[in-house]
Amino acid sequence: MSELNGKTVLLYFSAHWCPPCRAFLPKLVDAYHEIKAKGNALEVVFISSDKDQASFDEFFGGMPWLALPFGDSRKRFLSRKFRVSGIPMLVAIGSNGRTLTTKARDMVLQYGARAYPFTDEKIKELEAEEDEIAKGWPEKLTHETHEHELVLTRRRVYYCDGCNEQGHAWSYYCEKCDFDLHPKCVLKEEDKGSKDDPDVKEEDKSKDGWVCDGEVCKKV
Ligand SMILES: [Zn+2]
Ligand SMILES: [Zn+2]
């Protein structure tokens, strides 16, 4: 516990048998080293859902931080307290002991080391930077790969249905279908020169019988 005093603490609920946990680990390790290298007070504690000591040892062997010992009874308390229903889950606790967020994993995926110190203020600052990036992009558009109107939407982490690569921050999104396109995948095509007439778009949309209120595409 003395190692955690006065530090921002990340509780890392995960297990070796869980593929997304293994996939997330290198990203967390990178962010961890980068945050520490800047002299920031951070510690991570691995809280294992492994089935046996050997798997715990193997997984923890690849981690540069602390762990709750395998089989420690405090794990149950912590899982319940933070309502851990899926892993990996990363909970950030401030140096004052207050819970900052239970969605620190998304923040690490999205911002890497820049997410530190995982506070609301920091998120707002990073989102303001993203707003700058999105300036001048159309709020709504249609795209040949999807039947509904797509809305420029702030999305933490998603997979682009165009190129299948991961994306974050902004997506041209159809919420009804959970359909995402990277802004770069949409806007680069528009540059190719097919300038749609907005009136035609409007007609297509009503013919289709779908209307999008910005959050959901609904059938009219
Ligand atoms: Zn894409
Ligand atoms: Zn749709």
Side-chain angles (χ1 to χ4, degrees):
M1 290 306 289
S2 62
E3 295 274 349
L4 305 180
N5 239 332
K7 292 181 181 174
T8 298
V9 175
L10 299 176
L11 302 179
Y12 180 38
F13 294 87
S14 69
H16 190 244
W17 50 259
C18 152
C21 295
R22 294 200 301 270
F24 178 60
L25 180 58
K27 295 182 171 108
L28 185 56
V29 170
D30 284 352
Y32 176 79
H33 286 311
E34 208 179 317
I35 293 166
K36 300 272 275 192
K38 287 179 185 147
N40 294 309
L42 174 80
E43 202 47 75
V44 178
V45 180
F46 169 45
I47 298 174
S48 168
S49 295
D50 283 304
K51 301 278 186 252
D52 54 56
Q53 183 77 50
S55 327
F56 172 93
D57 291 343
E58 191 181 340
F59 201 31
F60 186 48
M63 300 182 194
W65 46 67
L66 307 174
L68 204 61
F70 179 73
D72 192 294
S73 61
R74 286 169 291 187
K75 188 211 154 201
R76 235 183 119 187
F77 166 77
L78 290 167
S79 297
R80 204 174 287 167
K81 175 168 173 56
F82 296 110
R83 296 162 199 245
V84 179
S85 56
I87 54 171
M89 181 160 151
L90 194 65
V91 176
I93 299 167
S95 52
N96 59 6
R98 286 217 190 97
T99 305
L100 297 170
T101 176
T102 56
K103 296 183 165 41
R105 178 201 181 202
D106 288 348
M107 294 175 71
V108 169
L109 283 175
Q110 190 170 347
Y111 302 115
R114 293 162 68 220
Y116 179 86
F118 301 93
T119 55
D120 284 343
E121 293 74 30
K122 190 67 194 183
I123 295 177
K124 285 196 186 106
E125 188 188 314
L126 293 164
E127 286 181 349
E129 285 174 23
E130 288 168 3
D131 286 344
E132 276 302 307
I133 294 169
K135 263 186 187 160
W137 290 351
E139 270 177 48
K140 296 176 182 183
L141 47 76
T142 51
H143 191 260
E144 60 196 6
T145 58
H146 195 71
E147 57 182 326
H148 308 133
E149 194 174 44
L150 301 174
V151 179
L152 183 62
T153 306
R154 191 186 286 289
R155 299 267 287 150
R156 288 247 162 261
V157 180
Y158 63 89
Y159 282 89
C160 173
D161 290 285
C163 68
N164 293 319
E165 305 260 316
Q166 203 178 68
H168 57 76
W170 292 109
S171 163
Y172 279 102
Y173 185 54
C174 173
E175 186 174 354
K176 173 166 180 78
C177 308
D178 195 29
F179 178 91
D180 283 283
L181 284 178
H182 285 126
K184 65 173 165 128
C185 286
V186 175
L187 300 173
K188 105 185 151 201
E189 296 213 357
E190 289 211 331
D191 286 345
K192 280 182 200 159
S194 70
K195 287 237 163 40
D196 286 343
D197 183 331
D199 289 340
V200 173
K201 254 195 231 171
E202 205 60 43
E203 201 184 293
D204 281 345
K205 199 172 58 187
S206 52
K207 192 170 59 189
D208 221 26
W210 288 90
V211 81
C212 189
D213 65 6
E215 291 290 332
V216 196
C217 292
K218 286 181 183 146
K219 202 135 202 168
V220 287

